[in-house]
Amino acid sequence: MIDFIAVDWGTSSFRLWAMEATGQVVAARSSKEGMSTLQRPDFAPALEKHLECLSVSKDIPIVICGMAGAASGWQEAQYIPTPTRLCDIPAHAIKVSGTERDVRILPGGAQCDAARPDVMRGEETILLGAALESGGDGLFCLPGTHSKWARVVNGELVSFSTAMTGELFARLAQGSTLSQFVDSSIFDEDVFVQSVRDAANSPASFTHALFGMRAGPLLNVLAPETIASRLSGLLIGLELAGVRADETGPVSLVSSGPLSRNYQLALKELGLDFQVLDADELVRKGLTFAAQKLWPMPVYH
Amino acid sequence: MIDFIAVDWGTSSFRLWAMEATGQVVAARSSKEGMSTLQRPDFAPALEKHLECLSVSKDIPIVICGMAGAASGWQEAQYIPTPTRLCDIPAHAIKVSGTERDVRILPGGAQCDAARPDVMRGEETILLGAALESGGDGLFCLPGTHSKWARVVNGELVSFSTAMTGELFARLAQGSTLSQFVDSSIFDEDVFVQSVRDAANSPASFTHALFGMRAGPLLNVLAPETIASRLSGLLIGLELAGVRADETGPVSLVSSGPLSRNYQLALKELGLDFQVLDADELVRKGLTFAAQKLWPMPVYH
């Protein structure tokens, strides 16, 4: 039986789960209908299409996290400033107007510090899920187009920082003087790990190292097929150079797939302890908690 | 009277000077017909068009430096490996085949070091011009799409390093999540200088600082019109972070225009002594020296 609908609506992807109040998944759907592909009037029909496929009746409530709540998304859910208790996030959900269904969008998090301004949308719900699991204390790394590093203490999101790692990779892999050499289908672990070390040891040499990937193949001292691994290693190494090894406790790495493998190799190379958490599971936990706060539901075990 | 033709044929621009043997400029022409806009068969006609405009007779020799000598240029002039005496460069010029005129292309310089591979085309001729002027010893900074830092000792190009500063600026100014904020027509000196300091003090925070330029305007803690200055400052600061203040003697900054102003501000901010040299004048000096080596000409004063 479907009790509520949970949606993670990001920049480039849409993921929906039909859920029981217990947090059990009844059905799942996903598509490439991310926020960046939609105009404001497109959101309601895009969601409706998926709900109809699952025959979700009109009285089932829907909770959404992610970029759907951005100013350029479906309807803006204002950022919650840090520091904030993660379990307080659902109280700041907005109710989407102009739809028959009860649709709520969770707010993002913002660090309104002029020296270190930062924003997140979606990751706060993952962190909420983690906080429910184990208190969620510690340093979280959520890699991606814009990698997030978040510090959680006693269930409170204290501070966070975003590195533009994935976007820099994409900008350099396409349309730069390096593009012709970047073949992301090949992964060379040795080159990757060496490159992580290079960037972490000498972050000031980063832009020089970038040009070395142009000159190296020209001079036959660097194999072109290793360039994608080196670029990824340099970027992740630069990102990690800012993480202090004396941070308390292990890093909680929230990711999966090849990106998770790369971050695990990098963290290991730099001597940082870590544990790996599953982003999908955590975001569903966070959305289930939010749904229970918004529409208290009996849980039958 | 025209004794020879000097050409600096780069990736994005073509510059030609009709010269007297003394180094005096008789006439000049320039265009956007850079190497990147031309296929191999286009080079000869592109050059001929400019020569006809100046009625240059077929017996006047032509010396070229820059990307025209790249593998993907007009005809490849193999790199000269470092260390190399700058005054030896003209001896390695290649003669272009398939043209009625006597056209020579100077080689580029290469650092065939697997740990620090690097290449230059055009800058070696500027450095040759500088070496003729004052011995040319010291540390040279030639800013641009690919900024070069070259160490010259006793007229010998000992080593060099390229930073992808200008290209990174371009890649982030167009088509990135920062693009909407980057207005390069506005320059804020205070923001620029602060950003140089930020990146030089903390190069490991570079990719975090990039995302701050996305979050700052969203949170109204950073004025969007300052983003171009901050991006430029961060990139130049990161480039300079790798330059040691204990390098002997002042940096010779070879540039002009707004880019020169930015590098001067950055060098000053980081306490690096510098002198400013004119790139156009130096490249003509280098090309004139090469012409005299290739076709010894009497100099009438």
Side-chain angles (χ1 to χ4, degrees), chain A residues 123 126 140-149 163 165-166 236 239-240 251-256 258-264 267 277 279:
Chain A
E123 292 87 356
I126 291 173
F140 289 79
C141 169
L142 301 94
T145 302
H146 298 151
S147 292
K148 306 288 178 189
W149 287 81
T165 304
I236 294 174
E239 178 184 331
L240 293 183
V251 173
S252 293
L253 176 64
V254 186
S255 69
S256 56
L259 197 59
S260 181
R261 173 203 61 197
N262 288 9
Y263 274 79
Q264 290 182 44
L267 288 164
L277 302 178

Side-chain angles (χ1 to χ4, degrees), chain A residues 113-181:
Chain A
D113 172 343
R116 300 179 304 139
D118 223 313
V119 291
M120 61 167 60
R121 279 205 186 271
E123 292 87 356
E124 74 295 325
T125 307
I126 291 173
L127 295 170
L128 168 59
L132 296 167
E133 184 129 291
S134 59
D137 281 13
L139 182 63
F140 289 79
C141 169
L142 301 94
T145 302
H146 298 151
S147 292
K148 306 288 178 189
W149 287 81
R151 167 67 61 189
V152 178
V153 178
N154 294 329
E156 192 176 70
L157 175 60
V158 174
S159 63
F160 65 98
S161 174
T162 304
M164 226 185 226
T165 304
E167 182 167 356
L168 272 176
F169 186 92
R171 300 306 298 150
L172 291 167
Q174 290 158 19
S176 84
T177 52
L178 302 181
S179 307
Q180 66 183 107
F181 304 125

